Amino acid sequence: MNQARIIVAGIGPGSTGDITSAVIDALRHCDAVVGYHYYFPFIEAYLPADALRIDSGMKQERRRAEEAFRVAEEGRTVCVISSGDAGIYGMASLILEMKHKRGSHVEVEVLPGISAFQKAGALLGAPMGHDFCVISLSDLMTPWLLIERRIIAAAEADFITAVYNPKSDSRYWQLYRLKELFLARRAPETPVGIVRQAGRDGETTTVTTLADFDPEQADMFTVVLIGNSQSYAVGNTFVTPRGYYREMEREEGVNVGQGIMIESFRTIERELKHPDIPLDRKWAMLHAIHTTADFDMERLLWTDPGAVAEMYERLSSGRTRTIVTDVTMVMSGIRKGALQRMGIEAKCYLADERAVKMAAEKGITRAQAGIRVAVEEHPDALFAFGNAPTALMELCTLIRRGKARPSGIVAAPVGFVHVCESKEMVKPFTDIPKVIIEGRKGGSNLAATLVNSALTFNDAAQLRPGRDV
């Protein structure tokens, strides 16, 4: 007779080849085995002929635990078997809880096993290559509202997600809800692996996408694996890279800074509420959100149809040779590499002696005076405003007087006085391409990044920002 001991053993997903040698050794030397009757055929070959076999049906876990303690407290060694790993939705926690509640002297040992999601992952390729979580859709012991919160958290945090207990005869709708929640937060082309009877007779594997995934393919013998934003499938092989720069590693000439910017733009694009908009408007919007981390830009960004594309055409063709800004901070934020590459000069007249003198003599702001001086020299420049509404209003006056004919206007002054009005004053000039941040928000950084979107519009289709970073 062995000592009073319970060994909680994970026997793997079902194949005898997936049972660990430590578990096999424990089975060979035990006095009794307790478990769900379905699992006994997988381990029968390893049991002593005289070992006591105590089996029961589904949902009898507490009864099995009580039986294990009853036999062990008689001074025998008992193996309590769980499929997969006994510590993952298995018997280990129940046995340990019961030991403490009973004040039992029985020694408890837990032996790990291969979990179903690990076996499923191996059959599919390498879908678990980065951070992952496991969620059971069974609401027998967990309220559905809590399960749904966990699904949302996993989807939003970009976890690879293994789904246990996805569907049964009575629980048919939860997997449909999970798909709906993931599709609201993940790309429709996200790979999904479906493995049924992993390691057992009748084993099947399927690789599909989140959009095409049919919950009717799943049952209680199925594990569903949902990839993260970096996961991809090649045929029936499902792979998740170990990091978040797979695309960058594959592209020559992309430095670290540009790589981060490209990945940021891809992240922003996935999170847009309304991604199906014209490319040039989206390109400006991605720049605005990237600069501010403010998704309110989806609502605030106003553009003429084709404005960014038209600005780029005029800049790249040489029709526009100068960009004028209201303040030096806007000029500082415009990409120097892009200006040099395209032979364009950026200028700010805020500190120009003529503007300083004019402001003092006429009692106007220096930014306003700077625009007057700028129009005298470059009436057909692209004008960008990130600070001073008075400067933008001055340009509007000069346009109406026929003294200025800008090739484009970026209007993003910020503040509380005359800011909203100045932006509305620009809109009637229908023959001038315009990009406007509506309302009180704006700023030099926004004005500069919107100019940069026009300078780099030829990178928009490939979603490759930051060439000049």
Side-chain angles (χ1 to χ4, degrees):
M1 180 175 292
N2 292 311
Q3 66 185 53
R5 186 163 61 134
I6 294 176
I7 300 172
V8 192
I11 63 170
S15 169
T16 55
D18 292 326
I19 303 176
T20 68
S21 58
V23 170
I24 291 173
D25 186 65
L27 291 169
R28 283 176 171 159
H29 295 91
C30 68
D31 299 310
V33 178
V34 178
Y36 174 38
H37 64 80
Y38 180 80
Y39 301 147
F40 274 79
F42 303 132
I43 62 164
E44 188 63 43
Y46 307 115
L47 297 181
D50 60 347
L52 182 64
R53 290 148 172 84
I54 303 172
D55 61 9
S56 59
M58 289 188 68
K59 303 180 183 178
Q60 299 292 316
E61 292 86 358
R62 184 164 293 278
R63 178 183 167 190
R64 290 198 286 273
E66 291 170 346
E67 283 292 296
F69 276 99
R70 181 185 65 78
V71 175
E73 286 169 353
E74 294 174 356
R76 291 188 274 187
T77 295
V78 180
C79 263
V80 177
I81 57 172
S82 279
S83 68
D85 184 286
I88 300 176
Y89 304 120
M91 290 292 292
S93 57
L94 181 56
I95 292 291
L96 289 169
E97 283 184 291
M98 193 169 287
K99 170 181 168 63
H100 294 303
K101 287 180 180 178
R102 293 168 70 101
S104 177
H105 66 281
V106 171
E107 177 187 342
V108 175
E109 180 182 3
V110 179
L111 296 179
I114 295 173
S115 186
F117 79 84
Q118 293 174 286
K119 179 68 174 181
L123 292 169
L124 292 167
M128 317 300 285
H130 206 271
D131 296 339
F132 64 87
C133 66
V134 181
I135 297 176
S136 170
L137 297 193
S138 173
D139 56 1
L140 288 175
M141 291 181 286
T142 306
W144 173 254
L145 289 179
L146 180 57
I147 295 172
E148 185 162 309
R149 283 171 54 197
R150 290 173 175 171
I151 293 168
I152 293 169
E156 290 182 344
D158 204 32
F159 278 109
I160 306 151
T161 304
V163 184
Y164 275 29
N165 305 312
K167 191 166 169 284
S168 67
D169 289 340
S170 59
R171 288 188 301 97
Y172 64 90
W173 60 269
Q174 286 90 338
L175 191 56
Y176 285 93
R177 176 61 173 158
L178 177 141
K179 177 181 176 179
E180 178 185 359
L181 293 170
F182 263 81
L183 274 173
R185 296 160 176 84
R186 297 277 178 93
E189 62 271 18
T190 300
V192 173
I194 307 160
V195 180
R196 189 176 186 278
Q197 295 285 25
R200 303 172 185 172
D201 291 340
E203 172 187 283
T204 61
T205 62
T206 304
V207 177
T208 184
T209 65
L210 189 57
D212 293 335
F213 168 51
D214 180 6
E216 292 300 322
Q217 294 177 269
D219 59 18
M220 286 297 288
F221 298 101
T222 304
V223 176
V224 178
L225 300 180
I226 304 171
N228 69 10
S229 62
Q230 304 298 294
S231 302
Y232 62 96
V234 179
N236 288 320
T237 301
F238 180 169
V239 180
T240 300
R242 295 187 300 163
Y244 272 76
Y245 297 99
R246 174 170 58 86
E247 292 91 343
M248 304 306 102
E249 293 168 359
R250 293 181 171 187
E251 297 179 19
E252 294 184 3
V254 174
N255 61 37
V256 174
Q258 185 182 10
I260 293 172
M261 192 170 180
I262 291 173
E263 186 59 32
S264 296
F265 270 51
R266 289 172 177 166
T267 300
I268 295 166
E269 185 182 38
R270 286 193 296 270
E271 296 183 19
L272 290 176
K273 292 180 180 178
H274 306 290
D276 297 325
I277 58 177
L279 180 61
D280 72 323
R281 175 175 165 78
K282 181 189 285 189
W283 189 239
M285 186 179 297
L286 293 173
H287 276 78
I289 296 172
H290 178 257
T291 296
T292 62
D294 184 358
F295 277 84
D296 201 28
M297 291 298 140
E298 279 199 81
R299 179 178 62 87
L300 296 178
L301 182 70
W302 185 98
T303 69
D304 288 308
V308 176
E310 178 62 22
M311 288 181 188
Y312 171 74
E313 193 282 325
R314 295 181 183 188
L315 289 162
S316 61
S317 66
R319 292 164 59 194
T320 300
R321 309 302 303 172
T322 307
I323 299 171
V324 172
T325 68
D326 62 336
V327 292
T328 54
M329 285 294 291
V330 177
M331 186 175 68
S332 298
I334 298 173
R335 294 275 164 74
K336 303 304 182 290
L339 295 174
Q340 293 171 5
R341 178 162 42 82
M342 300 173 76
I344 296 167
E345 183 180 22
K347 304 190 73 172
C348 176
Y349 288 81
L350 186 68
D352 187 284
E353 291 182 358
R354 293 167 294 175
V356 174
K357 181 180 179 181
M358 183 188 299
E361 291 176 349
K362 298 186 177 294
I364 59 176
T365 66
R366 280 200 295 140
Q368 186 177 358
I371 293 300
R372 289 188 187 180
V373 175
V375 165
E376 291 175 3
E377 295 185 356
H378 305 285
D380 56 353
L382 187 155
F383 286 80
F385 302 84
N387 181 273
T390 55
L392 180 56
M393 295 165 76
E394 181 67 26
L395 180 65
C396 291
T397 299
L398 294 171
I399 294 171
R400 287 184 59 82
R401 292 176 179 174
K403 295 183 177 181
R405 45 187 184 280
S407 64
I409 299 174
V410 172
V414 61
F416 298 92
V417 179
H418 302 312
V419 171
C420 297
E421 299 95 318
S422 69
K423 296 171 182 179
E424 295 300 326
M425 290 172 66
V426 179
K427 291 181 180 179
F429 303 120
T430 56
D431 58 336
I432 301 172
K434 300 173 293 297
V435 178
I436 302 169
I437 301 297
E438 295 195 291
R440 293 172 171 175
K441 290 185 178 181
S444 299
N445 56 345
L446 260 174
T449 200
L450 292 172
V451 171
N452 290 333
S453 74
L455 288 168
T456 62
F457 180 61
N458 57 325
D459 294 325
Q462 293 77 36
L463 203 65
R464 283 176 58 99
R467 187 199 315 187
D468 304 295
V469 170

